[in-house]
Amino acid sequence: MTYDAVIVGAGLYGAVVAQQLLERGMRVLVLEKRGHVGGNIYTENDHGIQVHVYGAHIFHTNDARVWDYVNRFAEFNSFVNSPKANYHGEIYSLPFTMRTFSELWNVSTPDEAKAIIEKQRADYLGGEPRNLEEQAISLVGTDIYEKLVKGYTEKQWGRECRDLPAFIIRRLPVRFNRDSNYFDAAYQGIPKDGYTAMTERMLAGAEVRTGTDYLRDRELYDAMTERVIYTGPVDAFYGYRYGPLQYRTVRFEREYPDTDDYQGNAVVNYTDRETPWTRIIEHKWFNFGLDAAGNPVHGTVISREYSYEWKPGDEPYYPVNNEENGALYNRYRELAEKEEKVLFGGRLGTYRYLDMDRVVAEALNAAETL
């Protein structure tokens, strides 16, 4: 045996496990199918701007242990996520707060806003919501649903809200104050020099092979170790024995507008159904228009995001959480639980959408167990 552990995937989960095992004196080999480390939190320097190549990632957590851990490998700024919504050119604040209600209805007090919402949701109370549309209206009323939920959700999932299960939106945060911080988290920020640099610091000391497909040469790598930590798609591990799990995926179009400020905000969601993209990210505002050294950045970089149905060969992003996929995943999970040598982790290995802090916490726990 050459290595104490072979880790498949150099994303956040794999990097944390690798770092923890290295810290305990173990020999680690990390295999990454892509040509870079970092997984979907990968960032690259483009004209002095740290571009979030696979979509916006804002680290947020209430877990002090997790926050202390990631701060060992990066200096985080104080970025607070306060996205905007563009509905046919009308701009609204997110999440749903008194700022939003004032923009929608020209009201100034919580009682006024509550009265409007209660009136609009009245017809949908009392019964069990049969679909996402009924669930959303029962929570926030018709105006918010029509302008800020419906179109965005249908683009995100590629289905009518009436055809989506209610449990996708278990709750919609409504606040009757003017706090526009999207995340209710004690700790929040973004690495000043990007997530890639943070991941590389975690992996320092490990042997890392990018552009390497573990599944293509599984027997070779399995023979090198007694323990494999696998963070790739669980269905791919078993050769799609029961069929592929479903995902939604995202296509990104990067542009370089001839301006220093394209939209005045890091994240703008386009919530009408007619606009083909779901949101536009202006990356420079994740670090307040500054480069890693704190100097003002001239010019700007934006990314338009388009959501579509995943097919084999695409990058899987969001698990399609319905009964059919839940049952299919359980069949794969039963196989995975019988593996004596392989530990499945991360969002693809466990078919879950996971926030970054949850990924770190689970990886730390897995490393302790190992």
Side-chain angles (χ1 to χ4, degrees):
M1 297 298 174
T2 307
Y3 301 97
D4 295 302
V6 169
I7 299 175
V8 182
L12 186 57
Y13 187 97
V16 171
V17 173
Q19 188 279 325
Q20 288 286 283
L21 298 186
L22 288 165
E23 197 169 73
R24 290 163 169 80
M26 297 185 181
R27 295 162 298 170
V28 176
L29 172 64
V30 180
L31 306 175
E32 171 55 53
K33 189 175 182 180
R34 299 179 189 177
H36 59 76
V37 302
N40 279 8
I41 65 172
Y42 172 67
T43 54
E44 65 182 18
N45 189 309
D46 191 344
H47 294 79
I49 298 168
Q50 285 295 328
V51 170
H52 296 219
V53 176
Y54 299 99
H57 287 84
I58 298 98
F59 202 97
H60 56 96
T61 187
N62 286 308
D63 189 330
R65 178 184 72 139
V66 167
W67 183 244
D68 289 343
Y69 176 78
V70 294
N71 273 267
R72 291 173 53 188
F73 307 98
E75 181 183 357
F76 282 76
N77 64 22
S78 57
F79 179 83
V80 170
N81 192 29
S82 300
K84 299 293 182 181
N86 183 316
Y87 177 79
H88 292 303
E90 302 170 8
I91 305 299
Y92 298 99
S93 299
L94 299 175
F96 309 138
T97 69
M98 283 303 301
R99 290 173 182 254
T100 321
F101 310 144
S102 296
E103 292 156 354
L104 275 168
W105 304 312
N106 195 30
V107 298
S108 56
T109 68
D111 285 343
E112 290 175 297
K114 289 176 183 177
I116 293 173
I117 292 174
E118 288 303 312
K119 182 178 180 180
Q120 292 185 0
R121 65 195 285 261
D123 292 341
Y124 289 85
L125 298 178
E128 185 69 25
R130 295 169 295 181
N131 52 52
L132 187 148
E133 178 172 281
E134 294 184 0
Q135 171 78 345
I137 295 175
S138 71
L139 292 170
V140 296
T142 53
D143 284 352
I144 296 174
Y145 168 71
E146 290 290 341
K147 288 193 170 186
L148 302 179
V149 176
K150 185 177 189 294
Y152 185 86
T153 303
E154 290 180 348
K155 288 188 292 188
Q156 191 80 352
W157 292 100
R159 295 162 176 81
E160 298 289 328
C161 285
R162 293 176 182 176
D163 298 327
L164 289 168
F167 68 77
I168 289 180
I169 295 183
R170 291 186 172 88
R171 66 183 185 89
L172 287 170
V174 175
R175 306 174 191 160
F176 294 97
N177 57 32
R178 296 184 180 273
D179 179 9
S180 58
N181 184 349
Y182 193 84
F183 298 118
D184 182 18
Y187 312 103
Q188 186 173 169
I190 295 173
K192 290 183 178 180
D193 58 354
Y195 286 104
T196 301
M198 181 184 80
T199 307
E200 288 172 344
R201 294 184 189 110
M202 291 177 174
L203 291 170
E207 181 180 344
V208 180
R209 301 181 189 177
T210 57
T212 302
D213 188 349
Y214 161 79
L215 294 179
R216 186 176 299 160
D217 296 299
R218 185 187 307 186
E219 292 183 2
L220 169 68
Y221 295 115
D222 285 354
M224 296 179 178
T225 186
E226 293 181 349
R227 172 61 73 179
V228 173
I229 296 90
Y230 178 82
T231 69
V234 62
D235 50 352
F237 184 89
Y238 291 104
Y240 304 104
R241 181 180 305 180
Y242 304 128
L245 292 161
Q246 289 182 302
Y247 292 88
R248 294 293 291 176
T249 190
V250 184
R251 175 171 57 87
F252 302 92
E253 289 185 356
R254 194 181 303 187
E255 299 176 15
Y256 304 87
D258 186 18
T259 179
D260 285 337
D261 190 350
Y262 181 78
Q263 62 186 18
N265 207 59
V267 182
V268 176
N269 294 350
Y270 283 75
T271 58
D272 60 86
R273 189 67 179 86
E274 292 72 24
T275 301
W277 53 84
T278 55
R279 63 181 180 177
I280 294 179
I281 307 300
E282 189 168 8
H283 300 269
K284 69 186 296 182
W285 301 124
F286 286 134
N287 199 36
F288 314 114
L290 306 175
D291 62 18
N295 302 311
V297 175
H298 299 292
T300 194
V301 181
I302 68 168
S303 296
R304 300 179 194 269
E305 299 185 9
Y306 300 80
S307 177
Y308 63 99
E309 201 75 22
W310 173 88
K311 62 182 183 301
D314 294 333
E315 180 62 34
Y317 278 84
Y318 306 106
V320 178
N321 291 317
N322 56 25
E323 292 184 6
E324 177 185 356
N325 282 289
L328 181 57
Y329 169 66
N330 284 335
R331 298 181 71 186
Y332 283 118
R333 182 171 56 83
E334 289 175 359
L335 294 177
E337 289 175 346
K338 296 176 183 177
E339 297 285 346
E340 296 182 356
K341 187 172 185 172
V342 183
L343 170 69
F344 293 79
R347 64 183 181 90
L348 299 179
T350 59
Y351 195 64
R352 293 175 296 161
Y353 178 80
L354 297 171
D355 286 330
M356 286 185 286
D357 65 326
R358 181 75 178 274
V359 171
V360 172
E362 292 190 3
L364 290 172
N365 292 338
E368 290 178 4
T369 301
L370 291 170

